[in-house]
Amino acid sequence: MFRTALRNVLAHKARLLMTVLAVMLGVAFVSGTLVYTDTLSTAFRNSSQKSYDDIDVALTPQASDTVPGVRPENSRLDAKLLDTVRHAPGAASATGIVNGPTGIADKSGKLIGQSGGTGGNYSPGKDGKDARYPMKEGAAPTRGDQFALDQDTAEKAGYHIGDTVRMSVDGPVREQKLTGIFTTDGGRGMSGGSLALFDTKTAQKLFGMPGAFSEIDVKAAPGTSQAALKQSLDKALPRDSVTLTTGKELADNQAEGNKSSTNLMRTALLAFAGVSLFVGIFIIANTFTMLISQRTKELALLRAVGASRRQVTRSVLLEALVVGTIAGASGMVAGIGIGAVLRTLGGNDGAALPDGPLQVTATTVLVSLGVGIAVTVLSAWLPGRRAAKIPPVAAMNSVHAAATTKSLVVRNTIGALFAGGGTAAVLVAISLDDGKNTSRYMMGLGGMLLLVGVFVLTPLLSRPLIALGGPVLRGFGISGRLARQNALRNPRRTAATASALMIGLTLITGMTVIAKGVETGINNVAASSLKADYSIAMSGEGQPLPSTAEKAVKGAAGVSAISPMRKDMVRVGADAAGGKGAAEAIGVDGKTFGSLGNLDFTKGSLGSLHGDRVVVDSRTAQDHGLRTGSRFPVTFPDGKKTDLTVSGVYNGNNLFNGVILDKDTLAPHQKRITTQQLLVSMDGGATDAHKNELVKALGKNPALTVSDKQDIADSVSKLFTILLNMLYGLLGMAVVVAVLGVVNTLAMSVFERAQEIGMLRAIGLDRRGIKRMVRLESLIISLFGGVLGIGLGVFLGWAVGKLIEGGLPTYELVLPWGELGIFLGLAGVVGALAALWPALRAARMNMLEAIKAE
């Protein structure tokens, strides 16, 4: 039986090629994902370890227990503490570190890097060098008007030693002379993609910490372990003033964070690989079903001469094993190439990714081979069982018995149960809307059940839907009528062929509907939440504006109203401790905010926003039982407590959330007052001239963005557009696999109908008519799958959108008719392309040999 299986594989090489390609694409995606993420994880881990090689213990200010994320007043790393650390037992040396956001402009004045960059201090040792940053060209900065720049940024911007470079740190745009270009392995401090170094005094002044440091790094004396040094420093330093962390802990924490990111990426990519393999399952099952149907006599004769059912099943599974092994091995090799391409593309998109060789682990090899073999064998198992049930008497007939009415009733019943259960689960998930994972899990389960149910019901659905195309097909004469009859002749085969395309288009359509709804919701947020003409913020998310920005904007011509947005963390409730009760507080100008912001109030109103009068978002109000007129205790960043009064409750969104109060109420409790955003209204509204006036008033700062409502919406929706384009690329693989399935089915169908095609040629249907018949059959099957996929995708997109409304109240269902038309057209193109080779093969058949074919 093994020799029989091997002979069958070799005898049907062309027919099995499409199956190998379908499995190979899915396996290649799995293999490429594993190679890419393993490479990134290893490179990040090695980079993290290397970055902290010169640090045995790091000192950072102790976080406050009163308000999470806020440092207490006595938490200060100054020169006195640095001197104490240097003389602590077991310490060989200590370095004071200063860092903060620093945006570097290129020669055209634009910011380098999408999120700005980082600045730090060059701290030379006794030899006059800082081992962390070896100078490749020039010298280290020693004066306030000098700086050094990392090599990658210098090369990208075309800067050389002696150039004057514009940059944004805090205050007006600065011009610094480039005195040195250094190398660095990335890792620490380069999250923004560029790194500028100043002398220590200049860095302390620029980053608002004169005479202080943001971190102190300590090197252990020979023979002293990191743990021993940490214990020694813990005894020598004031308690509850600093946090001590060993270099190993720092490296492990950073590596763990990078691992979490790569694991998330791996999960997402593997999910799409799973979709591709899932689509491939239908092709494989369809292929083996047709092969077995064509070999009915052969298998029945094997039974007649003594082969058992188990041997026949084993023969089919052995064929699948050979095909799966070939597909798995070729997919693994292709995946290594995909991993290399992804690594190259990842390094070219502006991200600071560490270098490292490709990692091809034993796990990747085993998983690739295992997936290829498992998917193929499992897909062939059911056709193998059917083959074993072929009675020996079937050898006397040329065609095996068709499916019985009972089997179709059972299939339709099962499909109806799955589809009904899936629809019910989706509707229950919408009704739950609890903001928790329960509704999401229910939605996922319902979507999967519905998809499987529709697949099972596809043979039943094919007759009425394909019949709708009858009037159009009749316009193509006898070829059109024959194409319709061929598509309806074997509903199961038609269903299996169309289902592969249906699944891919379901996902693409659903994602598009969701993305368009989110984009519209974001546009609605910007339009409904802002009365201001402009919002001014830093390019780097969360970074504060320069301290001079507000004053500069007030002096610009045409400004009619302005309000800062100063964000900090407070603790709501008298009994809250630790992270419990933490909420964002936004300090605004109570006199002007009413004309700049447009909050959606559910209770009360903005009223007179001053003193102890505040407004809170509905989630905070719900968590703490607040309503209009409520008095509630708040703990500010400095640890002081006071009672505030609720003037109104509003629906939070991406722009406004938490407790909104007057800036003068918040300011006395902030150690350092920083503004994250400015809201500005202009006389005459938003115009290009007004925008240019604001940019000019801000000194053409490269790190600042002046955005109107549409700019705000576009900046957020751009992220969804990029994500959607990635999804299109990833899901496109499923469509490619579906194309292979259509080609495979048509090719086998042509072979199976060789005698019929020969008779058609003999009675007068010319080669052009034969080609047209096969092409129309392919087209109608593909369009049938496209209609099902688009319909399912719209329904699932609507359902998921209902869940999104809980977090984005302005979400709005938008049916992208243009895209839906393109998707349906894509299904037609798939059918047309897939039919090229089978149609040509059918037309070239010798009619006499075809008539004699069995």
Side-chain angles (χ1 to χ4, degrees), residues 431-482:
S431 64
L432 284 176
D433 194 21
D434 54 2
K436 299 179 181 178
N437 289 329
T438 305
S439 56
R440 299 188 187 102
Y441 292 148
M442 184 69 73
M443 179 67 70
L445 175 64
M448 182 60 69
L449 289 175
L450 179 59
L451 199 60
V452 173
V454 171
F455 164 70
V456 177
L457 287 174
T458 306
L460 180 66
L461 297 173
S462 64
R463 289 189 177 277
L465 290 179
I466 291 178
L468 293 176
V472 177
L473 291 175
R474 280 197 291 270
F476 292 92
I478 187 64
S479 296
R481 291 195 291 272
L482 289 172

Side-chain angles (χ1 to χ4, degrees), residues 170 192 244 249 256-257 264 275 356 358 391 404 443 529 538 544 549 660 719 737 817:
D170 185 24
L244 301 174
E249 291 172 342
E256 188 62 32
L264 183 63
V275 171
L358 281 179
T404 63
M443 179 67 70
S529 298
M538 296 290 288
I660 301 180
L719 300 176
V737 174
W817 295 108

